[in-house]
Amino acid sequence: MKKLFLPFLFLGLLLNACKKDDSVAVKPSENPVASLLKDATWTVSALSTGKFEVGYIFSASTNGKITQLASQMVDPGTYTVSIWDANTKALLRQKSVEQSSPNKFSAASVDELIIEKDKKYVVSINTTIGTVAKAYNKLNKTTGSPTTIFPITSGSIVIQKSVYASSAVSVFPAVDYSTFNAFYGFADVTFVPD
């Protein structure tokens, strides 16, 4: 019996020693615009309606992935949120995001989009539902009148500048809007750093 027990004991010890440590540290996801809205140094104001594609150019300080696109508009509705390659202007992901409450973020999952460190992307939202222009938000610094608010760092995300296009449908927002010292719309992403 002892001879049979020893091989099983040895096998058990060997298998236990070969186990990998399954505890992998998971970094928390980041929502850069939602985080800024919680910061008292920023002020949100609603703007009149318009048919625009509004958003911002951003980069990440680390590699990671985007798993959700989000919207926060003045009025509830279903808004089109897009993410683009800033250099090629290629549409990378697009999602209809149903926002059920006024001025509350709503998010929708997208196929994971790999984000490369320091590469520039654009996230934008179209302010038109059907043919109806909707009111949108503006974010400014609360105190003082800084010469420029850009770049804005929120977690691993660096917001480079504000951009827009006059359009009732989703198009690449190529016009630089940064001179107005604010950014518009509120499209957001869920970024998961590597």
Side-chain angles (χ1 to χ4, degrees):
M1 181 90 167
K2 278 186 179 178
K3 287 183 180 180
L4 193 56
F5 176 72
L6 287 176
F8 283 110
L9 177 63
F10 178 71
L11 182 61
L13 290 172
L14 185 62
L15 289 174
N16 196 32
C18 291
K19 272 183 144 177
K20 288 184 180 176
D21 182 11
D22 291 337
S23 60
V24 176
V26 176
K27 293 183 181 176
S29 61
E30 302 175 12
N31 302 94
V33 177
S35 293
L36 287 176
L37 296 179
K38 294 175 187 170
D39 183 339
T41 63
W42 293 93
T43 301
V44 175
S45 54
L47 296 176
S48 61
T49 61
K51 294 181 180 181
F52 299 108
E53 184 82 13
V54 289
Y56 52 90
I57 297 174
F58 74 93
S59 60
S61 60
T62 184
N63 292 331
K65 60 189 169 213
I66 289 176
T67 59
Q68 293 180 316
L69 297 178
S71 75
Q72 178 179 320
M73 293 287 284
V74 175
D75 298 314
T78 301
Y79 294 94
T80 302
V81 181
S82 305
I83 190 159
W84 315 81
D85 182 301
N87 294 323
T88 67
K89 301 179 180 157
L91 179 63
L92 302 174
R93 297 288 185 276
Q94 189 172 69
K95 193 72 173 187
S96 293
V97 179
E98 187 176 338
Q99 183 184 316
S100 57
S101 300
N103 276 320
K104 298 285 182 195
F105 269 109
S106 293
S109 295
V110 294
D111 291 339
E112 287 183 358
L113 175 63
I114 301 301
I115 298 297
E116 297 174 35
K117 177 183 176 184
D118 299 327
K119 180 174 170 53
K120 291 183 179 172
Y121 301 88
V122 175
V123 63
S124 61
I125 187 168
N126 194 277
T127 63
T128 310
I129 297 178
T131 59
V132 179
K134 297 292 188 175
Y136 54 97
N137 291 306
K138 174 173 94 167
L139 188 66
N140 288 91
K141 272 295 200 182
T142 301
T143 55
S145 297
T147 306
T148 182
I149 61 170
F150 298 101
I152 303 166
T153 300
S154 180
S156 302
I157 300 296
V158 179
I159 299 170
Q160 308 286 337
K161 60 179 154 182
S162 185
V163 291
Y164 85 101
S166 292
S167 179
V169 295
S170 293
V171 295
F172 183 81
V175 180
D176 186 343
Y177 217 30
S178 300
T179 56
F180 289 90
N181 238 5
F183 74 89
Y184 303 85
F186 293 157
D188 205 358
V189 298
T190 299
F191 177 71
V192 182
D194 284 347

